[in-house]
Amino acid sequence: YVYKKLKDYQKVIFYLEKAKAVFVEEGNKMEIGNINLELGNTHVEMSKQDKALEYFIEAKKLFEEIGAKKELSIVFERIGIAYHSKNEYKKAIESFEQALKLTRANNDKQQLAQTEINMAMSYLSMEKYELAVSALQDAMKVSQEINYMKGYAAALNQLAPVYIKWNNLEKALEYFEEALKINEQIGDVM
């Protein structure tokens, strides 16, 4: 964790691989999957999406084998994020849809809101604004239900550019200001 905060990714990878070797020896598929997930996340931060996808796909296989549905929903979301970063938006949306399906089954509302927000980003990149707005409104509704204000503010921040594209600057400004106010209240100012 410390090395990741310091962005010393080589040390992060080194220690994760050492830990993974121990879990491989023990045959602990859950922990191997979690480490692959973290290795994938590290490679995303390093902008090495293809390598990240390799780790995510390894994690996905392990989580499927052991029936770890919560972890599987997370790995599908991370796969979507990696594809989004590669500008492969259709693949990203397919992965986000898989994540949403599992997340709904797991009744993990915070993960649901976050996945909707990430999927909306891919829709925005494809200029499918109505689909983006729908996903963001779903994220806002769920975020409000569970008092996940960080998610609510993130959805507002993604909605504002849509309204700029639609030449509704007043609405865009309203969304930006509301998001800023929430972020200031929760201490998460961008």
Side-chain angles (χ1 to χ4, degrees):
Y1 177 78
V2 172
Y3 291 120
K4 195 163 197 172
K5 282 287 187 191
L6 296 172
K7 299 191 184 303
D8 189 345
Y9 299 122
Q10 295 311 314
K11 283 190 179 169
V12 171
I13 292 166
F14 174 78
Y15 286 113
L16 285 171
E17 290 290 356
K18 282 184 82 148
K20 182 176 169 181
V22 171
F23 290 122
V24 166
E25 195 172 302
E26 292 175 359
N28 187 333
K29 291 182 180 182
M30 175 65 92
E31 290 305 321
I32 298 166
N34 283 329
I35 288 174
N36 282 334
L37 185 59
E38 194 55 42
L39 283 163
N41 289 336
T42 301
H43 282 85
V44 166
E45 289 182 34
M46 297 169 63
S47 298
K48 295 182 177 182
Q49 311 311 331
D50 291 326
K51 189 67 175 172
L53 283 166
E54 289 175 26
Y55 283 113
F56 291 148
I57 290 166
E58 283 181 43
K60 178 179 145 306
K61 289 176 188 172
L62 289 166
F63 293 146
E64 285 173 337
E65 280 179 32
I66 61 175
K69 292 185 178 170
K70 179 177 175 52
E71 290 77 8
L72 197 53
S73 70
I74 292 168
V75 85
F76 271 115
E77 182 187 18
R78 297 306 193 283
I79 290 169
I81 290 168
Y83 278 127
H84 178 88
S85 296
K86 291 180 58 154
N87 301 327
E88 294 183 34
Y89 306 121
K90 288 181 182 178
K91 287 183 179 180
I93 288 168
E94 288 171 11
S95 294
F96 291 137
E97 286 172 346
Q98 289 290 330
L100 286 173
K101 187 174 165 183
L102 289 163
T103 302
R104 284 187 185 107
N106 297 336
N107 199 30
D108 184 343
K109 292 190 175 190
Q110 185 172 328
Q111 184 70 30
L112 178 67
Q114 193 57 53
T115 303
E116 290 276 13
I117 292 165
N118 287 326
M119 187 164 68
M121 289 173 53
S122 289
Y123 283 134
L124 289 171
S125 295
M126 296 172 71
E127 298 183 354
K128 293 187 176 191
Y129 300 118
E130 291 82 11
L131 292 171
V133 168
S134 177
L136 291 166
Q137 288 172 337
D138 289 347
M140 289 169 65
K141 181 180 175 205
V142 171
S143 294
Q144 274 189 314
E145 284 174 15
I146 61 170
N147 201 30
Y148 177 45
M149 299 316 291
K150 183 175 181 173
Y152 190 82
L156 288 169
N157 266 328
Q158 293 301 318
L159 266 176
V162 173
Y163 284 88
I164 290 171
K165 288 275 188 192
W166 288 345
N167 255 347
N168 189 339
L169 301 182
E170 276 184 40
K171 194 70 166 169
L173 183 59
E174 180 184 317
Y175 285 139
F176 277 136
E177 287 176 343
E178 188 177 352
L180 178 60
K181 181 179 172 187
I182 292 168
N183 283 323
E184 286 174 341
Q185 288 171 350
I186 63 173
D188 190 28
V189 180
M190 298 162 260

